[in-house]
Amino acid sequence: LPASRKIFVPGELHPDIRVPMRQISLHPTSGEPPVTVYDSSGPYTIEGADIRIEQGLAALRRDWVLARGDVEPYEGRRVRPEDNGFASGDRLTPEFPTKRQPLRAKDGKAVTQLAYA
């Protein structure tokens, strides 16, 4: 992304959580400082990132989510034929090779953006 660089800003409530931002340089004649915007591009724009699709994204927030105490791991379920549109043979999409144990809300807890807002 020309004339910009990715930076990470520590959170105010949780300084260990770094928020990705992009500093966009303006033309030197503007006399203005860079504009900083939220960067949702993920690890793919981090210089020198070691991207391995088969490993999935790093679970950067998992410890923080577990520390809130309102979720619990559970067994999940196996992929079923309907998950693949009942495809078979060479049209079948294989399961992702890296499996993580899913989390769900504990009884009586609301784990949604609205609840946290």
Side-chain angles (χ1 to χ4, degrees):
L1 301 171
S4 73
R5 69 185 184 102
K6 190 167 196 160
I7 62 170
F8 293 90
V9 178
E12 292 180 19
L13 295 176
H14 302 280
D16 53 320
I17 295 179
R18 301 175 333 133
V19 180
M21 306 292 275
R22 182 152 297 275
Q23 273 190 343
I24 304 167
S25 298
L26 302 177
H27 194 275
T29 60
S30 72
E32 298 288 333
V35 175
T36 304
V37 297
Y38 181 68
D39 185 340
S40 61
S41 63
Y44 304 101
T45 57
I46 298 174
E47 190 171 325
D50 183 23
I51 305 295
R52 298 181 189 198
I53 298 296
E54 68 281 353
Q55 291 180 357
L57 294 173
L60 299 175
R61 293 186 295 261
R62 188 173 178 92
D63 291 342
W64 175 70
V65 169
L66 290 170
R68 293 186 317 220
D70 55 3
V71 297
E72 62 188 5
Y74 70 105
E75 193 58 38
R77 66 171 177 81
R78 299 189 56 80
V79 174
R80 298 186 295 228
E82 57 267 30
D83 297 328
N84 270 316
F86 296 101
S88 61
D90 62 348
R91 297 185 51 88
L92 183 66
T93 302
E95 281 193 64
F96 196 71
T98 301
K99 295 184 183 185
R100 295 192 180 129
Q101 189 171 27
L103 301 173
R104 65 179 172 204
K106 289 183 177 177
D107 285 343
K109 299 292 183 178
V111 183
T112 66
Q113 286 183 331
L114 179 60
Y116 289 120

